[in-house]
Amino acid sequence: MARVVVLGAGVAGHTAALHLRRKLGRDHDVIVVSPNANWNWIPSNIWVGVGRMSAERVVFPLAPIYGRKGIEHHQAKAIAVRPEGDAEDPRGAVDVVYTDPTRAGEEARLRYDYLVNATGPRLNFGATEGLGPDGGHSWSVCTAGHATQAAAALAEVIEVLRSGRRQTLVVGMGHGTCTCEGAAFEYVFNVDHELRAAGVRELAEVVYLTNEFELGDFGVDGMSFEQQGFRTSSKLWTESLFRERNVRAILGAHVEKVEPGVVHYEQLDGTRHALPFDFAMLLPPFRGADLVAYDRAGAEVTAALFAPSGFMKVDANYAPKGYDDWAAEDWPSTYESPAYPNVFAVGIAFAPPHQISRPRKSPNGTVVAPSPPRTGMPSGVMGKTAALTIVERITKGPQAHTHTASMANMGAACVASAGTGLRTGSAAAMTMFPVVPDYARYPGSGRSLKDTIGEIGLAGHWLKLMLHYLFIYKAKARPGWQFIPE
Amino acid sequence: MTSPTPRDDAPLIAADRVVGAAPLPTEKTLKARRNLVIQAGRFVLLNARIMKMVLKGHH
Ligand SMILES: Cc1cc2nc3c(=O)[nH]c(=O)nc-3n(C[C@H](O)[C@H](O)[C@H](O)COP(=O)(O)OP(=O)(O)OC[C@H]3O[C@@H](n4cnc5c(N)ncnc54)[C@H](O)[C@@H]3O)c2cc1C
């Protein structure tokens, strides 16, 4: 009998747990540790953040699903990993602290034969003074709760606009090393859509404040498209949308500080600026969950498992190299820890070997470098890949086939909503293949021009809405869920 | 009382210059983006493209 412990019940962890349970007999245990009682379809938080969807529609309780499927659920937060076990037991173990209200604060040590770290991002608001809704001066849409607060603040600004007073709304990235530019891009166009729907758009100035060197970078160094006989770029395509919707931009910015009503930032040329605002939604940079690792004797071995960013090291090539020297093969494909082959990290939890977007520095030494995005589709695929490898090892032995899925051989679909409504909605739909450019395979742009596309229209909105229902159906493990691709 | 932070528009103006040079969609393109028949076709195509990508990336 084997015990598989999955840390995190987000896109990657929940997918891994469901596939593990589907493939492993009931004599094996699948255990999920997650501090939240609920599952959240994060992409739809954008609609919660403009008041078009209630938080209840993007979250659901995990307990009934895990109960039905026979997955053991601990509502707890992992704090430490002991890959060699302890004096009592040589099996790997995880130390957890319960967040479950009935056991809050209680600690436990859970033993495992295989561990999947899918703890996602720690929202690092602390990296920028005054950032974030908890004690800071800006809003966020990273959780359903944050998005609900942002929607209420936006509604207040719309009321002020209705009274005829001009307002400035700033949406973007709260630090030079943020990722998830796609989410801020989506939110800014949803805000624009709401302002238009309320008939107050002319009184509002909408500003997109980003760490991207140019629009359309999205943390993936932009994309090349072939359209109507021309080779064009996501830069031109995105700029066109900004021009059409009259959204202004500030590029290559590192936010230094957010004060009540003012954001202070430095740009790549080293100049420092201030922008007063009436509403600001600024995403935080991400860190890993900052788990600590110990060896059997209790000595700390965190650096053997984790990168300084708190993300877990996997089968990537982490040798320091210049940006131009990196190759597609440097990206991981099995998500196995090189130190412990029964430990995997999937989704945002694994440490990426390098940036996809070219990193830059200001003359003052400030790093302005979008971090690589690890979006929903690759996160789900990684979760499934690690699960299938573990199943094979449990059922066929340690030499069994290792499943692979590299982001350099995986596509991603980014459907950025630009307004809701079945007839009035719009979205910028982008697909890229592969996520990590492979210049050896696709000379020039590094990506397949057949599979990398961008288009704007109502169809994208329908697609986004369909994904909302489809992924919630899948996450609820309703009949046939396994046939819905990650 | 501290005086309000002065607004500094230089970065916005620099980006306006870049964005201002981007092509604007014509009325025909805007209509096509909302046309139910055209968009139904695009919807099918988009789904087909995503499925192709999913199949290509799975091992
Ligand atoms: C606003 C927003 C919009 C987005 N829109 C899109 C989109 O349109 N399309 C797209 O593809 N992607 C989108 N993304 C990205 C997408 O949400 C992520 O790719 C995906 O959630 C990553 O999955 P994950 O499982 O790695 O992390 P998460 O989904 O964040 O899950 C992490 C899990 O780990 C748990 N956890 C955290 N710490 C611990 C701990 N110490 N112990 C145990 N468990 C822990 C968390 O509670 C959570 O359950 C968006 C992201 C944001 C923020």
Side-chain angles (χ1 to χ4, degrees), chain B residues 12-41:
Chain B
L12 282 161
I13 293 165
D16 283 350
R17 243 179 260 131
V18 178
V19 170
L24 267 182
T26 59
E27 197 49 44
K28 194 174 150 207
T29 304
L30 290 175
K31 274 199 183 132
R33 286 180 185 171
R34 285 190 302 260
N35 182 292
L36 295 181
V37 179
I38 296 174
Q39 292 301 315

Side-chain angles (χ1 to χ4, degrees), chain A residues 8-12 33 35-36 42-43 77-78 118-121 347-348 374-376 464:
Chain A
V11 175
V33 176
N36 296 323
I42 298 172
K77 192 174 138 90
T119 44
I348 292 177
R374 277 142 295 157
T375 53
K464 176 107 187 161

Side-chain angles (χ1 to χ4, degrees), chain A residues 145-157:
Chain A
H146 285 174
T148 306
Q149 293 172 335
L154 179 64
E156 278 177 29
V157 166

Side-chain angles (χ1 to χ4, degrees), chain A residues 181-411:
Chain A
E181 285 77 9
F185 169 91
E186 256 191 284
Y187 190 66
V188 81
F189 285 105
N190 271 271
V191 166
D192 166 76
H193 185 82
E194 288 310 310
L195 296 171
R196 284 173 201 275
V200 294
R201 182 62 178 91
E202 349 44 88
L203 283 171
E205 180 171 45
V206 181
V207 178
Y208 178 69
L209 173 68
T210 183
N211 56 351
E212 294 154 285
F213 177 66
E214 49 193 27
L215 290 176
D217 180 282
F218 293 116
V220 294
D221 213 33
M223 286 160 264
S224 291
F225 305 135
E226 259 176 14
Q227 258 167 8
Q228 288 158 5
F230 284 89
R231 173 84 63 91
T232 182
S233 65
S234 55
K235 172 181 185 291
L236 202 69
W237 186 77
T238 310
E239 285 169 357
S240 170
L241 186 63
F242 272 70
R243 184 171 175 207
E244 179 202 330
R245 304 279 282 261
N246 192 24
V247 174
R248 300 184 80 186
I250 294 173
L251 302 169
H254 161 71
V255 172
E256 292 182 313
K257 181 163 72 168
V258 187
E259 288 180 332
V262 189
V263 57
H264 297 268
Y265 61 95
E266 180 186 340
Q267 272 192 305
L268 269 168
D269 62 3
T271 54
R272 292 196 158 88
H273 308 272
L275 179 69
F277 64 79
D278 301 291
F279 171 93
M281 194 300 288
L282 297 170
L283 296 179
F286 293 168
R287 268 191 71 77
D290 282 326
L291 302 176
V292 184
Y294 299 100
D295 68 9
R296 192 150 189 215
E300 200 189 314
V301 291
T302 307
L305 268 99
F306 297 96
S309 56
F311 295 118
M312 191 179 256
K313 290 193 267 189
V314 290
D315 61 316
N317 181 349
Y318 293 108
K321 291 187 204 173
Y323 176 76
D324 292 309
D325 300 326
W326 284 103
E329 316 71 87
D330 293 325
W331 279 72
S333 61
T334 66
Y335 305 95
E336 189 178 303
S337 159
Y340 300 96
N342 60 340
V343 176
F344 296 77
V346 290
I348 292 177
F350 86 83
H354 67 95
Q355 267 98 355
I356 303 174
S357 174
R358 183 175 289 279
R360 293 177 168 86
K361 245 187 206 171
S362 80
N364 309 320
T366 305
V367 175
V368 184
S371 298
R374 277 142 295 157
T375 53
M377 193 165 157
S379 297
V381 173
M382 288 176 220
K384 183 177 180 182
T385 302
L388 294 182
T389 299
I390 294 170
V391 168
E392 298 248 7
R393 291 195 188 161
I394 291 173
T395 53
K396 296 183 185 150
Q399 302 315 322
H401 171 66
T402 301
H403 289 254
T404 59
S406 161
M407 277 172 63
N409 195 33
M410 209 192 287

Side-chain angles (χ1 to χ4, degrees), chain B residues 2-59:
Chain B
T2 53
S3 59
T5 308
R7 210 186 125 125
D8 169 5
D9 272 359
L12 282 161
I13 293 165
D16 283 350
R17 243 179 260 131
V18 178
V19 170
L24 267 182
T26 59
E27 197 49 44
K28 194 174 150 207
T29 304
L30 290 175
K31 274 199 183 132
R33 286 180 185 171
R34 285 190 302 260
N35 182 292
L36 295 181
V37 179
I38 296 174
Q39 292 301 315
R42 300 307 305 170
F43 180 72
V44 173
L45 259 169
L46 269 172
N47 275 297
R49 274 181 189 279
I50 293 176
M51 270 320 288
K52 184 179 155 206
M53 233 169 38
V54 165
L55 295 174
K56 233 173 146 175
H58 277 58
H59 283 253

